[in-house]
């Protein structure tokens, strides 16, 4: 490496000396540079000589070419760098000036040339090409020297000649210089002064004009700022934040912008003058410094309008105006909050939305809903129901009776005409169509009370009206013509005729909440609020724009959420009812914050009547407002066309798109959470209150919640809460069972009230009533209004009275003095020869049947609303229809119980009343098949029975009908036992009273029966007459029971053993405790004879009742008395005459005969002396010895 450094240093030294030396040609052979180069070349040759020689014979032609190319490149590189540093001097330039200017550049060029030369030399040495490079450089140097010498020799004469010519031009140049000096003197002294004065005056006038125009521009700018400030204040006062803030921003721009940008400065030379005048006006400098200002224009100070006193005051006003805008936005927002909460604008809009949605649901798609356009909306449903029923097998009772009382071609047009006349499309028609579908107006008079409401259940029964009179109010309307199948007149006394009426039918008020009626007095106001809802959110938009334009969007979001999505503390008295997880010490309610009322206060009645509709309307109004805010299609009146408003709108859009202004998404999330909280709290309150609700309240609340949920879907469908509405609003998992229990309890109360007001007398048939119409040509007969389901055919049959018995009025007055007249006993009475007929049931039965019918319709409406809410009924037996059938079954069961338990004490109940209760339950039982058939037709009509579940549903209906029939059978059997118990107790009382201390040893016979026999017969006669309301089998059974009990008591008195003293007559304790009357202690033949006469009287009475074989109840007593009076008795009691005795007296018991013989008082010696006539010839009269002998014979056969 030390050999490589020496040539490099030599070359660098030569380059530096050349740059510091004169400007002679470096390639001159006589110059020191060439000499140094030669020395350097010899040094390189010495260095190269030290290396071993290369065997050139081994190089190929290709390698040789490559070495030559490399040498040429190195030489060319060195020559190029040398030529770049060469400076060609111009003869017309001053050498000293050029040297001074190029001094710095020359030093840099020399350094670069030296480094380039050193790099080339080093590269040649490294590659082994230093010798070839040296030789090539030497060769080129020699050629250049020769060329330079030749050029100098050829042009030397021309150069010398040009030098002579230059010297000859010296005198003309001196003359030209003198003339120029004279001309300059003339110009300065004679012409230039005047021109300079004129130019100065012109410049001063231009500067003055520039100052004036500048001042005019400043005045205009200040006026513009003042106008903008005034505009901003007025727009802020008018609550137009965008225009106000646009004016503020424009004023701030004018105040902060440089004044030069606000002035109109024309171009050209005038621009220079005006610019200079502007700077002169601003800086206050003199005209002498004008040109310096023009030269240093970019270095002058920038002045704006805010630095002026006017601008300073204007800048102080801008924050105040912005604060006024914010305060105005807050005031408008607070007024909006107040109008929604206290003013009720949200609730009004919610009521309108609920009303419109419910009406749309009632009308249905294509106006084919139950409340839709007639006739299609009702006719096709009725036809579908008729077709479904025709497809069912007619083996069951329900299927057969569903065809009874209805004919499509006859009844459907009537019902459709009535619907069209009483109400228009909507919820009211839906309620009326539902009642008509279930046969209400086919079965009952239109002015009949529904009786489902707790305060209306079991209304007072006017017996005059029920008995045929047409007078009186608040009655069931059992008019004679309608009750007997006369003409039907669809005349509604409780519904205003026509579509414009304000009064509503009872079914409409029962099934429909008042908030959903189209003729609400606040309908116009509510609709106005709903339609103006998109425009009513302007305060929110304006406040949002105001805060966003001022860069305070998050503050607006916080303020809006605190006032819009808040909650409040309420009393915890009702908290545990609907949410057990809430702390009882502190309850937070979103609904109370939304409405301003404490939702935990008030009774259940007030809640379902007023609070719940208001809460639903408020929540729906909240969703409607949030939907209007979410849509964003608001055309604000302060957004005006023009450059300024457009620019402000673009600015606000750019701000709102920034990350810090994401209030829209924040509002949407907060609104969804708050709406979910509102809906969840509403559902919780409803579930808690549903426990104490009545059936009517459950029906109306279900209808309201169905419309509420549908309205939420329509009003705000984009809310995330719509996915969980069904779970949040579900009244309860077991709400159907709750409603079923409520219906059962209300039906029991209603039945008890109806039965309590009933006088328990058979219902009289009007005299002028026409006979029931029969079905002709397969067309079923119509239902009898107010006596439907076959009640009109339950008439009492005339009793069969023996011609020998005359029943006068005195008999009735003696036995029935506690009743008003004789009508209630026989069911038939004669007045002036005209017989009055009666039904088997009393006035309460149609009322009870009507209440069951009405409650079943209400329960069906409730189930239908629950299906609309999304409730899925998984029940074996037809789904939702099965629950309706269960409701009917339970209502029938509790009605039968209520009809049976319609008395307070058993002692207060008479036989005729008990019989009438039994007949009433039997009448209710007989009406069940047609009632179930009518309800099944209604279920098919409203679509609660699917075609694939038709057979299953009808089978389940048969099952429920059997259950209801069994419940009635149970109560009828219980009442039958009760009637028999009453009769038995009365018979026992009569027997005990009549036979107490009765002397059976009479010593003589009687032609007439005893008094006790006549009283018993008279009682049984009166009792049997009041059995007319009962069916024939029950009547016959009570006849046999009563007569059998009389015969049994008399047999026991005659045949039971008497543990008594023979003289005192005190009976044993056991017998007295059992029947209250001790058995007979002593009896003689005449006593037995008189008893046989009583038995004959009993048999005659039994035959007179017309009940077959009733007299056989006394066969045993008759057999005993006749046997004891038979003169052949001693012979028949012999063991060898047993067969003869059994043939003659088949019911004779030797044990009982023995007991009678123990009580038998024989004729003694004194009796014979006293009688004097001896034994009677027709009866057996025994003395004491004969009695003793027969007693031994009987005891021997028994033991």
């Amino acid at each position: 490496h030390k050999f490589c450094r020496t040539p490099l240093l030599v070359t660098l030294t030569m380059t530096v000396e050349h740059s510091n030396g004169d400007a002679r040609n470096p390639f001159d052979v006589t110059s020191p540079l060439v000499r140094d180069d030669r020395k350097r070349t010899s040094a390189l040759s010495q260095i190269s000589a030290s290396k071993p020689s290369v065997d050139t014979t081994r190089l190929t032609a290709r390698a040789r070419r490559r070495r030559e190319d490399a040498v040429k490149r190195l030489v060319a590189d060195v020559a190029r760098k040398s030529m770049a540093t060469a400076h060609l001097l111009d003869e017309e330039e001053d050498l000293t000036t050029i040297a001074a200017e190029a001094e710095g550049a020359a030093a840099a060029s020399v350094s670069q040339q030296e480094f380039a030369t050193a790099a080339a030399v080093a590269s040649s040495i490294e590659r082994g090409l230093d010798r070839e490079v040296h030789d090539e450089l030497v060769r080129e140097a020699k050629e250049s020297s020769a060329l330079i010498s030749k050029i100098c020799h050829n042009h030397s004469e021309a150069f010398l000649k040009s030098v002579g010519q230059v010297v000859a031009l010296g005198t003309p140049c001196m003359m030209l210089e003198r003339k120029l000096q004279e001309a300059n003197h003339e110009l300065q002294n004679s012409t230039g002064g005047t021109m300079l004065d004129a130019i100065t005056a012109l410049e001063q006038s231009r500067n003055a004009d520039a100052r004036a125009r500048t001042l005019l521009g400043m005045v205009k700018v200040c006026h513009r700022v003042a106008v903008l400030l005034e505009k901003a204040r007025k727009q802020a006062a008018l609550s137009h934040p965008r225009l106000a803030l646009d004016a503020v921003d424009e004023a701030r721009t004018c105040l902060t912008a440089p004044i030069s940008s606000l002035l109109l400065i024309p171009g050209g030379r005038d621009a220079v003058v005006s610019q200079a005048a502007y700077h002169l006006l601003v800086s206050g400098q003199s005209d002498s410094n004008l040109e310096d200002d023009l030269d240093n224009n970019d270095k002058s100070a920038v002045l704006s309008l805010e630095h002026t006193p006017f601008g300073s005051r204007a800048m102080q006003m801008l924050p105040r105006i912005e604060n006024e805008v914010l305060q105005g936005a807050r005031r408008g927002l607070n007024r909006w909050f107040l109008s929604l909460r206290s003013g009720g604008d949200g609730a009004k809009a919610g009521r309108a939305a609920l009303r419109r949605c419910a009406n749309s649901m009632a009308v249905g798609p294509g106006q084919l809903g139950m409340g839709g356009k007639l006739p299609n909306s009702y006719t096709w449903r009725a036809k579908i129901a008729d077709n479904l029923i025709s497809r069912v097998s007619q083996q069951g009772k329900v299927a057969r009776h569903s065809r009874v009382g209805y004919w499509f071609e006859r009844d459907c047009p009537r019902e459709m005409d009535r619907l069209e006349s009483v109400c228009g499309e909507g919820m009211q028609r839906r309620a009326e169509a539902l009642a008509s579908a279930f046969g209400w107006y086919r079965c009952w008079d239109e002015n009949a009370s529904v009786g489902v409401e707790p305060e209306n259940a079991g209304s007072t029964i006017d017996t005059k009206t029920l008995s045929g009179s047409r007078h009186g109010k608040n009655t069931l309307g059992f008019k004679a013509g309608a009750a007997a199948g006369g003409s039907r007149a669809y005349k509604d006394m409780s519904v205003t005729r026509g579509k414009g009426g304000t009064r509503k039918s009872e079914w409409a008020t029962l099934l429909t909440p008042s908030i959903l009626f189209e003729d609400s007095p606040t309908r116009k106001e509510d609709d106005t609020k709903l339609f103006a809802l998109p425009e009513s959110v302007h305060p929110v938009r304006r406040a949002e724009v105001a805060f966003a334009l001022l860069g305070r969007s998050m503050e607006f979001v916080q303020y809006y959420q605190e006032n819009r999505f808040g909650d409040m503390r309420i009393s915890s008295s009702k908290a545990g009812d609907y949410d057990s997880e809430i702390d009882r010490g502190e309850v937070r309610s979103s609904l109370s914050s939304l409405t301003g009322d404490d939702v935990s206060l008030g009774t259940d009645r007030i809640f379902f009547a007023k609070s719940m509709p208001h809460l639903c309307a408020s929540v729906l109004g909240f969703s409607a407002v949030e939907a209007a805010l979410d849509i964003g299609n608001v055309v604000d009146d302060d957004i005006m066309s023009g450059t300024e408003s457009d620019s402000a709108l673009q600015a606000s859009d750019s701000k709102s798109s920034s990350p810090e202004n994401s209030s829209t998404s924040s509002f949407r999330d907060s609104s969804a959470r708050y709406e979910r909280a509102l809906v969840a709290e509403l559902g919780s309150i409803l579930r808690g209150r549903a426990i104490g609700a009545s059936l009517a309240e459950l029906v109306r609340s279900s209808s309201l919640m169905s419309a509420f949920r549908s309205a939420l879907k329509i009003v705000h469908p984009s809310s995330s809460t719509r996915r969980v509405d069904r779970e949040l609003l579900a009244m309860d998992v077991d709400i159907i069972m709750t409603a079923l229990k409520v219906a059962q309890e209300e039906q029991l109360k209603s039945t008890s009230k109806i039965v309590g007001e009933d006088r328990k007398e058979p219902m009289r048939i009007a005299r002028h009533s026409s006979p029931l119409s029969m079905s002709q040509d397969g067309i079923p007969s119509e239902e009898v209004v107010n006596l439907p389901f076959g009640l009109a055919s339950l008439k009492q049959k005339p009793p069969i009275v023996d011609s020998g018995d005359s029943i006068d009025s005195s008999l009735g007055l003696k036995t029935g003095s506690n009743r008003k007249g004789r009508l209630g006993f026989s069911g038939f009475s004669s007045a002036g020869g005209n017989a009055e007929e009666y039904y088997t049931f009393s006035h309460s039965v149609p009322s009870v049947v009507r209440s069951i019918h009405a409650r079943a319709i209400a329960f069906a409406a409730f189930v239908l609303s629950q299906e609309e809410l999304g409730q899925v009924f998984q029940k074996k037996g037809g789904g939702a229809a099965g629950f309706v059938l269960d409701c009917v079954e339970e209502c029938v069961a509790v009605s039968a119980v209520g009809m049976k338990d319609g008395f307070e004490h058993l002692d207060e109940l008479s036989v005729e009343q008990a019989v009438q209760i039994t007949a009433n339950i039997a009448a209710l039982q007989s009406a069940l098949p047609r009632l179930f058939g009518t309800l099944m037709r209604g279920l098919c009509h409203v679509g609660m029975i699917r075609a694939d579940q038709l057979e299953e549903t009808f089978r389940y209906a048969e099952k429920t009908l059997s259950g209801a029939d069994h419940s009635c059978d149970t109560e009828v059997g219980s009442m039958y036992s009760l009637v028999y118990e009453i009769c038995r107790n009365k018979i026992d009382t009569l027997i005990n009273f009549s036979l107490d201390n009765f002397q059976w040893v009479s010593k003589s016979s009687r032609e007439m029966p005893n008094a006790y026999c006549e009283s018993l017969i008279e009682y049984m006669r009166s009792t049997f007459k009041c059995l007319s309301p009962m069916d024939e089998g029950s009547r016959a059974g009570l006849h046999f029971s009563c007569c059998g009990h009389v015969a049994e008591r008399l047999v026991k008195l005659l045949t039971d053993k008497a543990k008594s003293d023979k003289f005192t007559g005190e009976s044993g304790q056991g017998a007295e405790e059992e029947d209250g009357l001790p058995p007979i202690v002593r009896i003689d033949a005449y006593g037995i004879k008189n008893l046989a006469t009583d038995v004959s009287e009993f048999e005659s009475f039994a035959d007179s009742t017309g009940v077959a074989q009733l007299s056989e109840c006394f066969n045993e007593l008759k057999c005993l008395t006749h046997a004891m009076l038979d003169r052949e008795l001693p012979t028949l009691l012999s063991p060898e005459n047993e067969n003869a005795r059994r043939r003659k007296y088949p019911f004779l018991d030797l044990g009982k005969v023995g007991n009678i013989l123990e009580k038998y008082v024989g004729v003694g010696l004194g009796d014979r002396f006293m009688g004097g006539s001896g034994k009677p010839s027709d009866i057996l009269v025994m003395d004491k010895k004969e009695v003793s002998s027969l007693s031994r014979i009987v005891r021997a056969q028994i033991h």
Side-chain angles (χ1 to χ4, degrees), residues 32 34 210 241 322 396 450 470 493 597 647 650 712-713 806 863 896 899 906 959 991 1025 1041 1067 1132:
V34 176
E322 292 177 350
V450 175
R470 298 191 179 187
M493 303 302 295
D597 301 327
S647 61
Q650 294 175 2
L712 284 177
K713 293 180 180 179
S806 61
V863 175
M899 295 172 71
L906 182 62
K959 180 180 178 181
I991 291 177
K1025 288 179 180 179
S1041 298
S1067 60
L1132 294 174

Side-chain angles (χ1 to χ4, degrees), residues 911-972:
V911 176
E912 51 268 23
Q913 291 177 341
V915 169
Q916 189 59 58
I917 292 174
T918 307
N920 290 345
I921 300 176
L924 173 63
Q925 182 180 10
S926 65
L928 292 182
R930 294 179 66 171
L931 173 62
F932 272 82
T934 302
L935 294 177
M936 289 298 292
R937 178 176 290 275
L939 292 174
C940 293
H941 184 100
V942 299
M944 296 180 67
I945 300 179
R946 298 189 318 212
D948 56 341
Q949 297 179 348
L950 187 62
E951 294 290 343
E952 181 183 1
T953 306
F954 270 87
R955 284 196 298 269
Y956 190 78
E958 292 290 339
K959 180 180 178 181
T960 54
L961 175 60
S962 300
D965 191 75
H966 178 71
S967 300
C968 292
D969 278 338
T970 303
E971 302 305 326
V972 167

Side-chain angles (χ1 to χ4, degrees), residues 746-818:
E746 291 184 0
Q747 182 61 38
L748 180 60
K749 294 179 181 179
S750 176
T751 304
S752 300
K753 187 174 182 180
I754 293 173
V755 173
E757 296 174 351
D758 187 17
R759 293 190 301 181
K760 298 179 180 62
E761 295 180 358
M763 186 175 173
R764 186 177 59 190
I765 302 176
R767 298 176 182 177
H768 54 275
S769 61
S770 60
L772 297 177
S773 59
M774 304 301 293
S775 59
Q776 300 177 356
D777 299 331
I779 300 177
S781 59
E782 302 180 43
E783 292 284 3
V784 179
V785 178
N786 294 328
L787 292 176
F789 312 130
L791 292 178
S793 61
L794 300 179
K795 300 180 180 180
Q796 296 184 17
K797 294 182 179 180
I800 301 175
V801 182
D802 186 68
S803 60
D805 287 340
S806 61
I807 306 174
D808 55 1
S809 59
S810 63
L811 187 60
L813 293 174
K814 180 169 61 176
T815 59
S817 60
N818 61 334

